[in-house]
Amino acid sequence: MIIGNESVDLAPLFSLHDSRNFLLTSLDFTDPVGVSSHKVAVSQLVETNESLFNKETSRFSSEHNVTKREQGKEFLVEIPYFLREDMIKPQDVQGKRKPGATVEETLTDIYAEYVAKHHIAFQRTKESVLAASLFSGRTYTPKTDDVLIQWGDLFSVVPMTATIDASSTTPSMVFQQFDQMHTDVITKAQSQAAAVERIVVFCKPAAFNAIRYSAGMVNAFQYASPTDDANIVYSVRSLLPGVTTFTIPGTNIDIVKVTDPLLLAHMTSDAVAVPKFAKGSNVYQNIFGAPSSTFDLLNSGAAEYYSYAFSPARNDAVNVVTENSQMVVNHGVGFTVQITVA
């Protein structure tokens, strides 16, 4: 596809690269929202059930229950923008051997190499943006007027807190504490409670091991075979390379070990519980689109990324460009739980 007179669309090549090795992208917490403007109005979407309970009324009277309309708020914010550009010159191609091969490197080879690296940069940045919003309720926008968006402050909510006493010798203590956390999340979610599919607890490595090998867990599985898949003390699942997980028995709570420094940088406590909502709930919105680098792209539709190449008038170089705008709006800061593992 030709974008402009001297530009070639590289998005199809960009899309061929795998994104399965990125934890938060793979778990797919967000609802995608494509936009055409670089500024968007975000709304406080989460409602309450306060008035959604019918009190008994007198028959044949004028008594009736009424439904309270939610007082929504809107805030205008600019979407963070990311641009990456690399230049290929004739000397990068002419007389150069392709690494690991006996043939000369071609322009197509270098295209492919840059697009692959642009894709990794895009995915790693996306992971960081997701982690900042989901784990700490923040969006960093140093190049906009907002500088730092605190979604909790914007929507006047705060995350819940909990302590998991992994050192307790009481056999059922850890299970009781997770059950209470689950109850708190569902209670707080109110009208969105039915949309909660799982509760994912992201743990720092030390916290993950403290829970997994706690006295309560060891006692609970002391008579289970070490080879039994249900024995979480000895058997855990691998979500991704280096990412292990297990489920608290009898619950929909998944414990995930986080080792990626990009994600750990946004964890302000030992662990954070983030409820995963059904698609369409719009509790977490991934807003993207709004290209800004060329006039040709301004009239194109919203996309998560734009990747293209162009040559200047002298045709003495090829520029490989990838740009994207991304902001993860977290309407569910009040549903998350910042956990201390004692």
Side-chain angles (χ1 to χ4, degrees):
M1 173 185 173
I2 301 299
I3 295 178
N5 293 332
E6 298 175 343
S7 299
V8 179
D9 186 7
L10 298 179
L13 182 59
F14 194 94
S15 66
L16 294 176
H17 293 280
D18 198 353
S19 61
R20 289 178 298 175
N21 284 340
F22 297 92
L23 177 60
L24 296 180
T25 300
S26 298
L27 292 177
D28 196 18
F29 274 84
T30 61
D31 288 302
V33 180
V35 297
S36 58
S37 172
H38 68 292
K39 289 192 176 184
V40 294
V42 296
S43 304
Q44 188 167 358
L45 301 178
V46 180
E47 300 181 349
T48 70
N49 289 333
E50 181 182 341
S51 66
L52 303 182
F53 180 83
N54 288 332
K55 297 179 180 178
E56 185 180 358
T57 56
S58 298
R59 199 181 304 272
F60 311 121
S61 74
S62 60
E63 288 184 349
H64 58 276
N65 290 282
V66 296
T67 303
K68 176 184 175 182
R69 295 195 64 191
E70 299 299 325
Q71 301 298 312
K73 296 180 180 179
E74 290 197 339
F75 310 90
L76 185 67
V77 295
E78 182 176 342
I79 309 174
Y81 175 68
F82 307 93
L83 177 69
R84 177 173 287 262
E85 181 171 348
D86 290 294
M87 182 181 295
I88 306 171
K89 288 185 169 292
Q91 58 262 37
D92 297 324
V93 179
Q94 192 173 30
K96 296 292 181 69
R97 190 177 70 174
K98 184 178 179 180
T102 59
V103 296
E104 186 175 74
E105 193 158 40
T106 66
L107 182 58
T108 303
D109 293 330
I110 301 180
Y111 265 143
E113 179 186 347
Y114 273 128
V115 170
K117 290 180 177 179
H118 282 209
H119 180 266
I120 293 173
F122 164 77
Q123 287 292 353
R124 294 186 77 239
T125 304
K126 181 179 179 180
E127 285 287 286
S128 181
V129 171
L130 284 165
S133 185
L134 295 175
F135 293 174
S136 60
R138 298 171 181 168
T139 292
Y140 296 93
T141 61
K143 301 297 184 179
T144 73
D145 293 337
D146 298 299
V147 182
L148 173 66
I149 301 173
Q150 298 268 17
W151 297 112
D153 293 345
L154 203 63
F155 298 137
S156 301
V157 294
V158 295
M160 294 177 282
T161 58
T163 298
I164 300 298
D165 188 2
S167 61
S168 173
T169 57
T170 304
S172 62
M173 179 62 71
V174 171
F175 297 99
Q176 290 177 17
Q177 290 170 338
F178 275 113
D179 183 70
Q180 183 60 52
M181 184 190 73
H182 179 273
T183 300
D184 293 341
V185 170
I186 296 301
T187 301
K188 198 71 175 286
Q190 297 194 51
S191 62
Q192 294 284 359
V196 177
E197 295 181 335
R198 312 288 300 174
I199 296 176
V200 184
V201 180
F202 297 93
C203 297
K204 293 179 179 178
F208 180 90
N209 290 336
I211 295 170
R212 180 183 176 188
Y213 300 118
S214 64
M217 290 292 182
V218 172
N219 288 335
F221 293 98
Q222 61 181 319
Y223 301 115
S225 169
T227 59
D228 188 340
D229 289 343
N231 189 337
I232 60 179
V233 177
Y234 293 97
S235 178
V236 292
R237 304 187 306 273
S238 292
L239 278 177
L240 299 169
V243 179
T244 53
T245 180
F246 64 87
T247 299
I248 300 295
T251 74
N252 65 344
I253 301 175
D254 299 317
I255 312 298
V256 177
K257 184 179 185 178
V258 177
T259 57
D260 188 341
L262 283 174
L263 306 187
L264 290 171
H266 300 292
M267 295 185 67
T268 58
S269 54
D270 296 329
V272 55
V274 183
K276 188 177 188 299
F277 291 87
K279 285 296 183 181
S281 62
N282 286 310
V283 175
Y284 315 116
Q285 293 179 314
N286 180 29
I287 298 178
F288 58 84
S292 300
S293 62
T294 71
F295 284 107
D296 298 304
L297 284 175
L298 287 181
N299 297 321
S300 64
E304 266 205 283
Y305 51 79
Y306 305 86
S307 186
Y308 60 93
F310 71 92
S311 296
R314 283 186 59 187
N315 201 28
D316 61 345
V318 175
N319 294 63
V320 180
V321 184
T322 300
E323 67 167 296
N324 72 288
S325 300
Q326 184 185 23
M327 179 172 66
V328 176
V329 181
N330 187 348
H331 295 101
V333 173
F335 306 153
T336 60
V337 186
Q338 296 293 335
I339 301 171
T340 300
V341 179

